[in-house]
C-alpha cells in the first residue's frame, strides 16, 4: 500500500502541478502545531483558526482553477456548437467524424479535470482526518459546519462537482445527435426527452464513472456491495491490481460465496422451530433466545481466530469451518434423541465456532481484482440475503416425521440433519475445487529497500565530481527527496504499522467511527429482536403454526434485494448518505414504537406492518452505515487481523448476543410481557444512536 503523499506526487498532471492541494505543507503544519501545543507555545483556538485559514486558501486555489478550466471547456463547447449548427444547415456529412472527435477531445479534457478534483477531494479528507486525530477530533465538525452550508461555500465546489453535469450533458447530447446524423436516421430523439435513449460512447461511460466515483454516487450493485464492508484503497496502484489478477480464481470465489450462503441458511433455518425444540427438551419456549444466540456467542471468538488464520491461508480455515459446522449440526439433531438441552446448545456453539464470515470478507478484499470487487461484494450480500430467506423457507418444507433405526427425523431435527449433509457436500467440493492464492510476504519488500539505499549511496559518492552549481542543485534536490522520503515514511508507518490487538484497533477509532459502529450495533439488535422472538410472539398472540412463521420470516428476507434496488438506484442518488442514515434511524425508531402492545387486541396487521418497517429500515440503514464506516475508518484497518470488517462483524455479533440474551431473560416475566420488555431496550438504544448521529452529523460530510 503506497502512501497518499507519494501517490499525489506521482499522479499529478504536470502542467497543473501548482494548483493541487499542498499536502506536504499541510502535513508540516499539523506536525508543527503538535510540537507547539506540546511545549505550550500555542493553544487549540489558534490552531483552529490558523489551519482553517490555510485550508481555505488551498481550497480557493483549487476552486478558482477549476472554474477557469470549466470556462475554457464551455468556450470550446460553444465553438463546437456553432460548427455543429452549420453542419446541420449544410447537410455536410463528411465532417461528422471530425466533429465527433472534437467533442471526445473535450470529454478527455473533462476526465483530466475530474481526476484533478478527485485527487484534491481525497487530500482534503485525509488532512481533515489527520488533524482530527492529533487535536481531539473537533476540527472537521467545525470546518464542515461553517463552510459546507454557507451560501458562498467553496467546499461544495470540490465535493459536489458543481457545474460538471452541464458540460457532460452538452457532450452527451451532441455526440448522440451526431451519431443520428451519421446513421441517416432523420429523426431527432433528444436524450432529455428520453433519458434511457443514448448512443453508447466510451468517453461518456468513462466520464460517468468518474463523476459517480467523485460524487460517491451509486447504483444498485454498488449500494448492495457496500453491505459487505470490504474496505479498499482510494487510489490503488497498478502493481497491486496486477497481483490481485494473479491471485484471482473464479471457482474459489464461488466457493467463498457458497460458504456465506450456507452459513446464513444454517443461522436462520432453526428460528421457526427453536421454541418448540426447547419445549420438547423440557425447557421454556423463551430459551429459544439462548439456542439462537449461542451461535452468535461463539462467533464473537471465531471471527478473531479466523481473521488471524487468513493471514496465512484461506483453504485450511474453510476446511476447518466446514468440519466444525458438520459436527455442530449433527449434535443439534442428535439432542432430540438424547433428550439433552446441553447437547443442543453445544451443537449451536460448534456452529458459531465454524463461522467463516471473516474469511469470506477477507478473501474478497485480498484476492479479487478491483474491477470485480464491487460485483463480488454485491454477491456476498446477495448470498447472505438469499440464505436469510431460504433458511426459514426450508424449515417450512421440513414438516414431516419418521425414524431410521433410533434416529428421529422431524420438523425440529431435520434442519440439523439437512445442514450437516449440506456441509459435508460443501467440504468435498471445497477440497476438490478451491485454489489457495499465493500469499505475499514481507520479505519480498526487503530487496527494494536495499536497492533504494544503494542508489542513495551512489548519488552521494558521485556528488563530489560535479561542478559547484550542480552540487548546490543536487544538494537542494537531495534535501527535497529526504523530506519527501520522511513524509513517505511517516505515511507508510501510519499505513503499514500492524494493529496488534483489538485495544490498538479501538484507539484508532474516531468519535464518528465509534458512533457508526454503535449504529451498526443498534440495527443488528433491532433485526435480531424481530427475527428471534417471532415464533414465540406469533404463537402467543396469533397461534401461528410453524409453516406460517417460516413464510413470514422468508418474506422478510426476500425484501432485502428489492429494497436495495430502490435505495441504490434512486434514494442515495438524490440525498446525501448522512441524510439517508439519519432518516433510516428515525424509521427504525418508528417501527419499534409501532410494535409495542399498548391497545387490545394486538392485531396481525400491527405486528407484521411494524416488523416490516423495522426490518426494511434496518436494511437500508446497514448499507449507508457501512459505506460511511469505510470512508471514515483509518486506512490501517483495511488489512491485517484486526481490520475494519472484523470490528463491524464483532459489533453486529455482540448485538445479536445481547438481543438473544434479552429475549431469554424477558421470558422469566412471562410470554405476555415478552414483546414490550424486549422492545424497550431496543427503543432506548435506537434513540441513543439518533442523538449520537446528530452530534457527529457534520463529520460525515
Amino acid at each position: 500500500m503506497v502512501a497518499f503523499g507519494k501517490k499525489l506526487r506521482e499522479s499529478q498532471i504536470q502542467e497543473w502541478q501548482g494548483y493541487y492541494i499542498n499536502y506536504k505543507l499541510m502535513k508540516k503544519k499539523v506536525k508543527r502545531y503538535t510540537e507547539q501545543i506540546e511545549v505550550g507555545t500555542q493553544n487549540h483556538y489558534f490552531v483552529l483558526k490558523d489551519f482553517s485559514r490555510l485550508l481555505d486558501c488551498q481550497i480557493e486555489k483549487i476552486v478558482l482553477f477549476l472554474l477557469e478550466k470549466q470556462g475554457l471547456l464551455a468556450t470550446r463547447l460553444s465553438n463546437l456548437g456553432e460548427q455543429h449548427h452549420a453542419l446541420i444547415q449544410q447537410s455536410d456529412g463528411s465532417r461528422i467524424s471530425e466533429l465527433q472527435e472534437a467533442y471526445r477531445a473535450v470529454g478527455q479534457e473533462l476526465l483530466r479535470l475530474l481526476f484533478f478534483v478527485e485527487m484534491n477531494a481525497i487530500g482534503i479528507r485525509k488532512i481533515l482526518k489527520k488533524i482530527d486525530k492529533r487535536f481531539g477530533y473537533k476540527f472537521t465538525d467545525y470546518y464542515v459546519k461553517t463552510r459546507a452550508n454557507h451560501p458562498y461555500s467553496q467546499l461544495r465546489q470540490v465535493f459536489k462537482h458543481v457545474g460538471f453535469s452541464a458540460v457532460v450533458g452538452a457532450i452527451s447530447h451532441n455526440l448522440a445527435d451526431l451519431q443520428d446524423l451519421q446513421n441517416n436516421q432523420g429523426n431527432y430523439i433528444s436524450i432529455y426527452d428520453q433519458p434511457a435513449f443514448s448512443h453508447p460512447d466510451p468517453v461518456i461511460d468513462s466520464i460517468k464513472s468518474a463523476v459517480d466515483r467523485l460524487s460517491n454516487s451509486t447504483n444498485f450493485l454498488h449500494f448492495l456491495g457496500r453491505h459487505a464492508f470490504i474496505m479498499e484503497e482510494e487510489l490503488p496502484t497498478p502493481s497491486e491490481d496486477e497481483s490481485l489478477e494473479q491471485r484471482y480464481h473464479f471457482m474459489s470465489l464461488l466457493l467463498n460465496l457458497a460458504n456465506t450462503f450456507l452459513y446464513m441458511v444454517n443461522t436462520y433455518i432453526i428460528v421457526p422451530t427453536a421454541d418448540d425444540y426447547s419445549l420438547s427438551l423440557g425447557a421454556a419456549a423463551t430459551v429459544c433466545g439462548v439456542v439462537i444466540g449461542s451461535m452468535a456467542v461463539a462467533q464473537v471468538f471465531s471471527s478473531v481466530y479466523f481473521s488471524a488464520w487468513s493471514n496465512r491461508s484461506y483453504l485450511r480455515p474453510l476446511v476447518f469451518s466446514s468440519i466444525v459446522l458438520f459436527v455442530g449440526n449433527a449434535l443439534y439433531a442428535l439432542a432430540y434423541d438424547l433428550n439433552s438441552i446441553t447437547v443442543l446448545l453445544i451443537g449451536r456453539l460448534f456452529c458459531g465456532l465454524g463461522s467463516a464470515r471473516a474469511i469470506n470478507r477477507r478473501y474478497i478484499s485480498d484476492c479479487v481484482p478491483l474491477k470485480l470487487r464491487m460485483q463480488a461484494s454485491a454477491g456476498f450480500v446477495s448470498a447472505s440475503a438469499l440464505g436469510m430467506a431460504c433458511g426459514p423457507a426450508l424449515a417450512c418444507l421440513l414438516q414431516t416425521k419418521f425414524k431410521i433405526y433410533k434416529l428421529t427425523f422431524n420438523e425440529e431435527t431435520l434442519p440439523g440433519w439437512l445442514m450437516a449433509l449440506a456441509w459435508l457436500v460443501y467440504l468435498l467440493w471445497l477440497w476438490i475445487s478451491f485454489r489457495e492464492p499465493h500469499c505475499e510476504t514481507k520479505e519480498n519488500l526487503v530487496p527494494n529497500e536495499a536497492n533504494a539505499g544503494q542508489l542513495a549511496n551512489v548519488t552521494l559518492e558521485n556528488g563530489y565530481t560535479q561542478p559547484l552549481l550542480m552540487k548546490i542543485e543536487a544538494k537542494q534536490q537531495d534535501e527535497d527527496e529526504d523530506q519527501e522520503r520522511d513524509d513517505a515514511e511517516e505515511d507508510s508507518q501510519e499505513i503499514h504499522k500492524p494493529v496488534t490487538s483489538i485495544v490498538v484497533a479501538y484507539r484508532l477509532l474516531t468519535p464518528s467511527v465509534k458512533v457508526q459502529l454503535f449504529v451498526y450495533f443498534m440495527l443488528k439488535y433491532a433485526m435480531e429482536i424481530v427475527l428471534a422472538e417471532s415464533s414465540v410472539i406469533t404463537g402467543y398472540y396469533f397461534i401461528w403454526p410453524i409453516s406460517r412463521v417460516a413464510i413470514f420470516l422468508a418474506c422478510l428476507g426476500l425484501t432485502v434485494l428489492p429494497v436495495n434496488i430502490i435505495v441504490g438506484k434512486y434514494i442515495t442518488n438524490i440525498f446525501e448518505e448522512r441524510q439517508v442514515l439519519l432518516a433510516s434511524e428515525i424509521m427504525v425508531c418508528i417501527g419499534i414504537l409501532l410494535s409495542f402492545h399498548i391497545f387490545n387486541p394486538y392485531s396481525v396487521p400491527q405486528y407484521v406492518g411494524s416488523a416490516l418497517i423495522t426490518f426494511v429500515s434496518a436494511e437500508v440503514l446497514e448499507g449507508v452505515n457501512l459505506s460511511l464506516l469505510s470512508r471514515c475508518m483509518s486506512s490501517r484497518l483495511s488489512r491485517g487481523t484486526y481490520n475494519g470488517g472484523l470490528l463491524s462483524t464483532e459489533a453486529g455479533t455482540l448485538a445479536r448476543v445481547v438481543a438473544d440474551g434479552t429475549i431469554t431473560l424477558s421470558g422469566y416475566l412471562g410470554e405476555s410481557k415478552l414483546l414490550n420488555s424486549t422492545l424497550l431496550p431496543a427503543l432506548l438504544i435506537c434513540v441513543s444512536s439518533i442523538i449520537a448521529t446528530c452530534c457527529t452529523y457534520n463529520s460525515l460530510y
Side-chain angles (χ1 to χ4, degrees):
M1 195 180 295
V2 182
F4 174 74
K6 183 178 179 182
K7 282 186 178 178
L8 181 61
R9 288 192 299 273
E10 292 175 347
S11 305
Q12 284 178 356
I13 299 168
Q14 290 305 310
E15 60 266 33
W16 299 351
Q17 193 171 2
Y19 301 100
Y20 283 86
I21 181 174
N22 195 333
Y23 190 71
K24 180 178 173 182
L25 172 66
M26 307 293 277
K27 281 180 57 182
K28 282 182 180 178
K29 278 286 189 180
V30 172
K31 186 177 181 181
R32 188 176 302 164
Y33 291 144
T34 306
E35 294 169 352
Q36 290 174 342
I37 288 176
E38 285 176 354
V39 298
T41 57
Q42 291 296 350
N43 55 39
H44 282 78
Y45 179 78
F46 171 81
V47 169
L48 186 75
K49 295 300 181 184
D50 192 55
F51 197 76
S52 296
R53 180 190 57 77
L54 179 62
L55 191 54
D56 285 341
C57 291
Q58 292 290 315
I59 292 174
E60 184 176 273
K61 173 183 69 176
I62 295 164
V63 169
L64 291 177
F65 176 76
L66 182 62
L67 292 173
E68 179 188 341
K69 284 295 178 182
Q70 285 180 330
L72 292 174
L73 289 177
T75 301
R76 289 175 63 181
L77 285 171
S78 178
N79 294 335
L80 289 174
E82 292 175 3
Q83 296 175 38
H84 188 177
H85 181 70
L87 185 147
I88 294 173
Q89 296 297 324
Q90 298 168 7
S91 301
D92 184 5
S94 61
R95 295 191 57 234
I96 290 178
S97 297
E98 179 185 340
L99 204 54
Q100 284 176 323
E101 290 304 316
Y103 276 114
R104 291 189 182 107
V106 176
Q108 292 294 340
E109 187 69 12
L110 178 60
L111 274 174
R112 279 163 37 102
L113 195 57
L114 286 167
F115 183 67
F116 167 82
V117 177
E118 182 181 14
M119 292 290 293
N120 283 294
I122 294 171
I124 293 168
R125 281 201 182 102
K126 283 188 173 291
I127 205 67
L128 286 172
K129 286 170 68 175
K130 190 177 290 292
I131 198 168
D132 271 358
K133 182 180 177 182
R134 299 286 180 92
F135 302 111
Y137 314 107
K138 296 178 180 178
F139 182 79
T140 300
D141 183 73
Y142 156 78
Y143 194 80
V144 171
K145 182 166 61 178
T146 54
R147 268 66 173 178
N149 299 320
H150 195 276
Y152 308 133
S153 172
Q154 293 179 330
L155 193 64
R156 277 208 304 266
Q157 293 276 347
V158 178
F159 285 96
K160 302 305 176 186
H161 59 91
V162 178
F164 282 125
S165 56
V167 180
V168 177
I171 297 171
S172 299
H173 84 77
N174 280 293
L175 280 174
D177 187 22
L178 288 170
Q179 187 67 41
D180 282 341
L181 288 173
Q182 193 173 43
N183 295 337
N184 295 316
Q185 292 183 359
N187 294 323
Y188 176 72
I189 303 177
S190 172
I191 62 169
Y192 301 113
D193 296 329
Q194 298 185 27
F197 177 82
S198 64
H199 294 285
D201 193 286
V203 84
I204 298 300
D205 292 338
S206 299
I207 291 171
K208 186 178 183 302
S209 298
V211 170
D212 287 347
R213 189 171 65 247
L214 174 62
S215 62
N216 202 32
S217 187
T218 186
N219 55 32
F220 165 59
L221 184 65
H222 283 69
F223 184 78
L224 195 63
R226 288 174 183 176
H227 286 256
F229 193 43
I230 307 298
M231 291 185 67
E232 58 187 51
E233 277 195 272
E234 291 170 308
L235 291 170
T237 60
S239 60
E240 289 168 347
D241 206 29
E242 286 173 11
S243 174
L244 290 174
E245 289 279 3
Q246 295 172 0
R247 304 178 79 189
Y248 176 63
H249 183 231
F250 174 74
M251 184 55 70
S252 300
L253 175 61
L254 190 62
L255 281 160
N256 188 63
L257 297 178
N259 183 283
T260 301
F261 169 75
L262 286 175
Y263 187 78
M264 293 303 289
V265 172
N266 208 150
T267 301
Y268 291 101
I269 194 172
I270 64 113
V271 172
T273 58
D275 57 336
D276 286 345
Y277 206 165
S278 301
L279 288 170
S280 299
L281 299 179
T286 51
V287 174
C288 69
V290 175
V291 174
I292 297 168
S294 55
M295 191 171 178
V297 171
Q299 191 179 341
V300 171
F301 303 99
S302 67
S303 296
V304 178
Y305 67 72
F306 273 123
S307 184
W309 202 348
S310 65
N311 291 325
R312 299 184 298 276
S313 172
Y314 293 98
L315 176 60
R316 288 194 291 272
L318 286 174
V319 168
F320 175 77
S321 164
S322 303
I323 293 171
V324 171
L325 283 159
F326 169 77
V327 173
N329 281 289
L331 288 173
Y332 180 86
L334 287 170
Y336 187 90
D337 292 306
L338 297 174
N339 195 29
S340 172
I341 190 73
T342 303
V343 174
L344 182 75
L345 293 174
I346 291 173
R348 287 296 284 179
L349 283 170
F350 265 75
C351 289
L353 291 173
S355 169
R357 286 179 71 79
I359 296 284
N360 303 145
R361 278 195 176 104
R362 184 79 180 270
Y363 184 86
I364 294 172
S365 176
D366 291 356
C367 303
V368 177
L370 287 172
K371 62 184 179 182
L372 299 174
R373 192 171 298 168
M374 190 54 72
Q375 291 94 319
S377 300
F380 174 85
V381 176
S382 299
S384 299
L386 193 59
M388 183 188 293
C390 286
L394 285 172
C396 180
L397 300 175
L398 301 177
Q399 306 298 304
T400 185
K401 185 174 182 178
F402 58 92
K403 273 199 168 191
I404 298 178
Y405 297 108
K406 294 183 179 181
L407 297 178
T408 304
F409 296 85
N410 59 19
E411 60 191 20
E412 294 158 11
T413 63
L414 275 171
W417 291 122
L418 179 64
M419 292 312 303
L421 178 62
W423 285 114
L424 184 60
V425 172
Y426 175 79
L427 179 61
L428 295 173
W429 182 25
L430 182 72
W431 189 258
I432 294 169
S433 303
F434 192 87
R435 188 178 76 187
E436 184 76 87
H438 170 69
C439 292
E440 297 179 356
T441 59
K442 292 182 180 179
E443 286 78 1
N444 295 337
L445 301 175
V446 175
N448 293 333
E449 293 172 2
N451 292 338
Q454 290 172 5
L455 289 172
N457 291 335
V458 169
T459 303
L460 293 173
E461 288 171 3
N462 295 340
Y464 70 91
T465 63
Q466 298 172 348
L468 179 60
L469 181 59
M470 292 180 66
K471 280 188 178 182
I472 295 173
E473 291 174 351
K475 183 179 179 181
Q476 183 63 43
Q477 184 179 354
D478 287 344
E479 288 175 356
D480 290 343
E481 288 176 355
D482 288 341
Q483 182 60 51
E484 289 176 357
R485 194 178 297 112
D486 290 341
D487 292 343
E489 285 174 0
E490 183 183 343
D491 281 346
S492 181
Q493 287 173 359
E494 290 181 5
I495 294 171
H496 290 291
K497 188 177 179 182
V499 178
T500 55
S501 69
I502 200 78
V503 176
V504 177
Y506 181 80
R507 288 173 183 165
L508 290 172
L509 305 182
T510 62
S512 57
V513 173
K514 291 175 184 176
V515 168
Q516 291 311 303
L517 286 173
F518 180 61
V519 171
Y520 191 67
F521 176 93
M522 179 274 291
L523 70 91
K524 286 296 182 184
Y525 183 94
M527 291 172 73
E528 189 70 10
I529 289 292
V530 170
L531 296 173
E533 70 178 9
S534 57
S535 57
V536 179
I537 296 300
T538 55
Y540 176 78
Y541 286 105
F542 317 127
I543 319 176
W544 278 7
I546 291 172
S547 58
R548 188 170 295 180
V549 178
I551 292 171
F552 168 67
L553 293 175
C555 289
L556 283 181
L558 289 173
T559 61
V560 174
L561 294 180
V563 166
N564 279 292
I565 290 174
I566 296 170
V567 176
K569 291 191 72 172
Y570 302 107
I571 295 179
T572 53
N573 286 326
I574 299 173
F575 302 101
E576 293 180 28
E577 285 184 331
R578 58 179 183 164
Q579 294 173 331
V580 179
L581 178 90
L582 188 57
S584 300
E585 288 182 81
I586 294 170
M587 288 304 299
V588 170
C589 188
I590 291 172
I592 294 171
L593 284 170
L594 292 175
S595 299
F596 276 92
H597 179 200
I598 299 174
F599 304 106
N600 286 318
Y602 192 63
S603 64
V604 172
Q606 181 185 351
Y607 175 74
V608 172
S610 58
L612 193 63
I613 292 171
T614 304
F615 189 83
V616 168
S617 301
E619 275 296 327
V620 174
L621 180 58
E622 184 175 4
V624 291
N625 168 249
L626 292 179
S627 176
L628 288 168
L629 260 177
S630 66
R631 281 168 46 197
C632 299
M633 198 168 279
S634 169
S635 55
R636 284 179 60 189
L637 294 170
S638 62
R639 293 287 188 275
T641 301
Y642 298 95
N643 53 64
L646 175 65
L647 294 179
S648 63
T649 299
E650 293 291 83
T653 304
L654 187 62
R656 291 172 53 206
V657 171
V658 175
D660 293 326
T662 303
I663 293 170
T664 300
L665 292 175
S666 300
Y668 289 104
L669 301 175
E671 291 187 11
S672 61
K673 298 180 179 179
L674 177 65
L675 181 64
N676 288 351
S677 57
T678 53
L679 289 175
L680 185 59
L683 180 63
L684 293 175
I685 294 171
C686 187
V687 171
S688 300
S689 77
I690 293 172
I691 294 171
T693 299
C694 291
C695 292
T696 58
Y697 187 74
N698 287 314
S699 63
L700 301 175
Y701 183 72

